[in-house]
Amino acid sequence: MKRYLLALILLALAHTSFASGGTDSVFTAAKDSIIVEYGHSGKIVILVDNKEDFEKLKILDVNQIIDELDLELDENTGDLTVVEISDKNGNSKEIVKVEEGGAETAVSVGRIKVIVDESGPTTKVRVEKTKKPEPSFRTYFNVDLGINNYLRGGGGFPTSDQPYAVKGWGSWNVGLNLMASQRLSKGFYWDFGLGVQWYNFKFENRDYQAVRGDQNIEFIQRTDVDGFKSKVSASYLTAMTLLKVDFGRMNDNGNKGLKIAAGPYFGYRVGGRSKYVYRELGGSGRHKDKLNTGIYLNNIRYGIRGEIGIGRVTFFSTYDLNELYQDGKGPSGESLHPITFGLVF
C-alpha cells in the first residue's frame, strides 16, 4: 500500500512542480505492478498500465536501467537521492529524495516533504514544508524614523521657559542605512553599516530665532513679526555597529521572538543651519529665513545605539556622548546632548 501511495504522491508532486502541459496534462493511475525484491529490504516497483507495456517490459535490461540512473544509497542513513540537476560547473542540487526510516517513508520535492506512516493500524500521510536555511551573511536596507530632544549637562530636558526647549512633534530624526549582518552563532549576530541621519530640533518658543552670534549660537526674540516655526537642523554621515541577540532564531521560532541589540556609532557632519518661518504683522503670506548656524555645531558625533524588537516591530534609541554644539558654543554656554527615540522600518 505504501509503495502505491508514494508513487501516486510523487507523480502528483512532479506534476505540480514541473508539468507545463496546462489542463491537457493527465496522470492515469496504474492498473498493475511488478515488484522486484533484492537483498534484505531492497525493492524495485514497476507500474504497468496495459498488456502491451508488459510485453515491452520483457525486453528491458534491469541492470542497465539501474546503471543509467546511477542512484547512490547512503548505507548509514538509508537516504536515497532519486533526482538531481547539475549545472555546467558540475554543481548539483537535489530535486527528489526518498528517506526510509522503519515504518515511515518520506518523499521530499524541493522544500515539500510528504511522510507516509504505517506504524499504526491505518496509513497516515502528512505534508511538511521545510524552513529555508538562514544565510550566514546578508545585506539589507532600513529606515529610522524618530523624534529628537536633548539632555542638559546636569541632567533633564530643558524646560519650556528656555528659548531652546524642543517640541517633540516636528523634531524629526530620519536615517537611511545600508546594513550588513554576520551570523556569529545561532541567534547571535554582528550588524554593521553606513548611513545618513538628519537631525531636526523644532523649538517650542516659535517667537525665538536661532542666529549665529559672535561667540556662540544665540536666540533672539522676534517681536517685529508673527513666528510660525523655528528650528535648527543638522545632517551626519554615520557608521554604526551592533551586537544583536535574536531569541526567536535561537529557539527556532523565526521572527516571532524578542530581539535586542546595542553598539556604538560615529558620525561626521555634512550640513547644518537654522530656519525661521514667519509672517509680517498685519500682513499675509509666509517668509523663511535660513541662516548658516552650522559653524557652532559639532562636526563629530558619537554615542550608543540600542534596539529592541518584538516580532517584526523594532524600536531604537540613540544618545550622543558628545555635545550638539562645540564646547562653550551652545546657547548661554549650555551643554546639550541629543537623544532620539523611534522605529526602524
Side-chain angles (χ1 to χ4, degrees):
M1 174 62 182
K2 181 195 298 182
R3 304 297 177 182
Y4 295 111
L5 186 58
L6 279 175
L8 292 174
I9 291 172
L10 185 57
L11 287 173
L13 286 173
H15 177 61
T16 302
S17 302
F18 307 111
S20 59
T23 57
D24 295 332
S25 297
V26 179
F27 286 98
T28 304
K31 295 180 180 180
D32 203 350
S33 65
I34 297 173
I35 300 177
V36 181
E37 297 187 1
Y38 59 93
H40 296 288
S41 61
K43 292 182 181 181
I44 299 176
V45 180
I46 303 174
L47 304 177
V48 181
D49 189 42
N50 51 55
K51 185 177 180 180
E52 290 75 11
D53 290 341
F54 180 76
E55 294 297 329
K56 295 178 181 179
L57 180 62
K58 293 180 180 180
I59 64 175
L60 294 180
D61 186 343
V62 176
N63 292 324
Q64 181 182 355
I65 295 174
I66 295 175
D67 290 339
E68 290 179 355
L69 287 176
D70 193 24
L71 301 179
E72 296 182 0
L73 179 65
D74 190 327
E75 297 179 355
N76 296 322
T77 65
D79 293 357
L80 176 63
T81 299
V82 179
V83 179
E84 286 186 347
I85 58 174
S86 301
D87 59 21
K88 61 182 181 180
N89 297 322
N91 300 317
S92 62
K93 180 180 180 181
E94 293 180 354
I95 298 300
V96 182
K97 185 169 72 173
V98 177
E99 301 170 88
E100 293 280 357
E104 285 192 353
T105 301
V107 178
S108 300
V109 181
R111 294 171 59 192
I112 304 297
K113 178 183 286 187
V114 179
I115 302 171
V116 179
D117 184 0
E118 290 188 323
S119 59
T122 60
T123 300
K124 298 179 180 179
V125 179
R126 66 180 187 272
V127 180
E128 298 178 353
K129 185 176 182 180
T130 59
K131 296 181 179 179
K132 188 176 181 180
E134 180 186 7
S136 60
F137 179 84
R138 68 184 182 94
T139 59
Y140 61 97
F141 179 81
N142 65 23
V143 178
D144 296 337
L145 180 60
I147 57 175
N148 296 312
N149 208 322
Y150 31 60
L151 293 173
R152 305 171 71 175
F157 299 103
T159 56
S160 298
D161 60 331
Q162 300 291 336
Y164 51 86
V166 170
K167 183 178 182 180
W169 190 261
S171 297
W172 304 117
N173 180 288
V174 179
L176 306 177
N177 308 301
L178 181 61
M179 303 292 295
S181 181
Q182 175 66 53
R183 181 164 57 88
L184 303 177
S185 61
K186 186 176 182 179
F188 291 87
Y189 304 85
W190 174 38
D191 290 7
F192 51 93
L194 187 68
V196 180
Q197 277 70 41
W198 285 269
Y199 274 3
N200 289 281
F201 299 92
K202 185 178 180 181
F203 306 117
E204 286 189 11
N205 299 304
R206 59 188 186 183
D207 291 336
Y208 285 86
Q209 181 181 8
V211 298
R212 188 177 69 180
D214 293 335
Q215 300 296 327
N216 60 342
I217 187 170
E218 297 179 355
F219 286 80
I220 59 173
Q221 187 172 13
R222 297 291 302 270
T223 58
D224 57 324
V225 295
D226 185 11
F228 283 96
K229 182 190 300 184
S230 182
K231 72 174 186 176
V232 166
S233 61
S235 55
Y236 290 85
L237 182 65
T238 305
M240 69 183 77
T241 181
L242 299 163
L243 288 177
K244 182 168 66 177
V245 181
D246 189 331
F247 293 99
R249 297 286 185 183
M250 188 181 298
N251 299 319
D252 296 322
N253 291 326
N255 293 321
K256 297 180 180 180
L258 176 70
K259 299 183 287 289
I260 56 175
Y265 58 84
F266 179 87
Y268 183 80
R269 186 173 65 84
V270 293
R273 65 182 183 181
S274 71
K275 180 180 177 181
Y276 188 69
V277 182
Y278 63 93
R279 184 175 60 191
E280 299 288 348
L281 294 176
S284 61
R286 296 190 179 188
H287 305 275
K288 298 178 183 179
D289 285 348
K290 298 179 181 180
L291 304 177
N292 179 18
T293 56
I295 190 172
Y296 291 135
L297 291 168
N298 246 323
N299 291 327
I300 303 297
R301 67 180 287 249
Y302 56 90
I304 300 296
R305 178 185 176 102
E307 295 182 359
I308 181 168
I310 303 175
R312 296 185 178 276
V313 179
T314 302
F315 301 89
F316 81 96
S317 180
T318 61
Y319 177 70
D320 286 9
L321 298 175
N322 65 289
E323 299 178 24
L324 175 63
Y325 298 99
Q326 299 173 22
D327 188 24
K329 303 296 185 180
S332 303
E334 188 77 69
S335 175
L336 302 174
H337 296 263
I339 185 170
T340 303
F341 301 95
L343 288 169
V344 181
F345 296 92

